[in-house]
Amino acid sequence: MNLVSMKKILITGGAGFIGSHVIRLFVNKYPEYTIVNLDALTYAGNLENLRDIENAPNYSFVKGDITDESFINQLFTDHSFEAVIHLAAESHVDRSILDPLSFVKTNVIGTAVLLNAAKRSWKDMEGKLFYHVSTDEVYGSLGETGFFTEETSYDPRSPYSASKASSDHLVSAYYHTYGLPMVISNCSNNYGSHQFPEKLLPLMINNIVHSKPLPVYGKGENVRDWLWVNDHARAIDVIFHQGRLGETYNIGGFNEWKNIDIVHLLCSIMDKKLGRADGESAKLITYVKDRAGHDMRYAIDATKLNKELGWEPSLQFEEGMDKTIDWYLANEGWIQSVTSGSYKQYYEQQYTSR
Ligand code: NAD
Ligand code: TYD
């Protein structure tokens, strides 16, 4: 697709983990684009994540909720966006088990509201693009072998993945029914700086620092495919500019790890960094009750993205982990600020007497 004319881009969820990395990449790399970041600043959104670029001339922030239809329609009228990169979502599986309806509201209704606003405002669809950022969890759970490809049938099993699958289907429906130009990418688990410490890696890093128990669900044998968040942002850049309309691209790290092995790796790297005796942090590992409906294994086949658009991960996992741990150790103030409020209640509800 040729997006050379594309100048004004709405990025939703830009104050979150992945969104902040995408915004930073686009604002710095494309000074000729105007980037508007729309974010409701839920518990997961934090403008601290964007301090370094907040005064860039091609960047602005709007606080708002993607489920607010009249507000979103007015935003599209005011700005004449030529493209949307949609990342805003409720994103944590454990929270979706506690409160599924908020996931349906944001991820399903919110996506539908955005699609409808784009359809209303794009009288001429030429040169427009709705880029929907999604997850590999829509494909369900793998056994010991095999990979998710773009042809794998959807089989979501958590309220989170079901809401993301539903949003993917809506995006596809707007393409087929109304000709709304779109592209979807489904990515594996991300790690890196600025990730909210409800997710596995930052939660464990934070608990190791504070010598708190490391809650491993079940036997710790579930497998995830980990990708450095900056490599996800690079993939989004490539797909946004060169992807084929109406297509889906899988993004993954070719980097599978059992949860327990990752936790051991974290413990041993952090023992060294914190000057602890070898094996000290691993004593904190505590096996806890498994997550309900816990998907066993995710593994992405990203061959299409590699062959068609030449993308591949840039960083080895151990190097990425090292950078990530260093970032959390150097940014204790960030962790303190995001864990000080409602996080405490969430943590208690999720982990006390588990
Ligand atoms: P995140 O939870 O860190 O950030 C989500 C952002 O969306 C926050 O800034 C939040 O304030 C905002 N938001 C939530 N509800 C909103 C609403 N109603 N209106 C406007 N803004 C709202 O999530 P993330 O990990 O950065 O994930 C971003 C996207 O990437 C999501 O769509 C997620 O499904 C997808 N994804 C995530 C991963 C991963 O490993 N984290 C992997 C693949 C795909
Ligand atoms: P998570 O980071 O929540 O990502 P997702 O569920 O979307 O893959 O969890 C990654 C894996 O780590 C998953 O198998 C669940 C497991 N896990 C734990 O064992 N303990 C924890 O405290 C958390 C948050 C996750």
Side-chain angles (χ1 to χ4, degrees), residues 1-3 26 30 33 129 236-243:
M1 87 193 61
N2 178 2
L3 300 182
F26 272 73
Y30 302 106
Y33 293 172
L129 181 66
I236 290 174
D237 177 22
V238 169
I239 295 166
F240 180 87
H241 288 98
Q242 296 166 47

Side-chain angles (χ1 to χ4, degrees), residues 310-323:
W311 175 91
E312 59 185 5
S314 72
L315 210 61
Q316 289 297 312
F317 187 56
E318 282 75 0
E319 195 187 342
M321 285 280 273
D322 203 60
K323 280 179 189 285

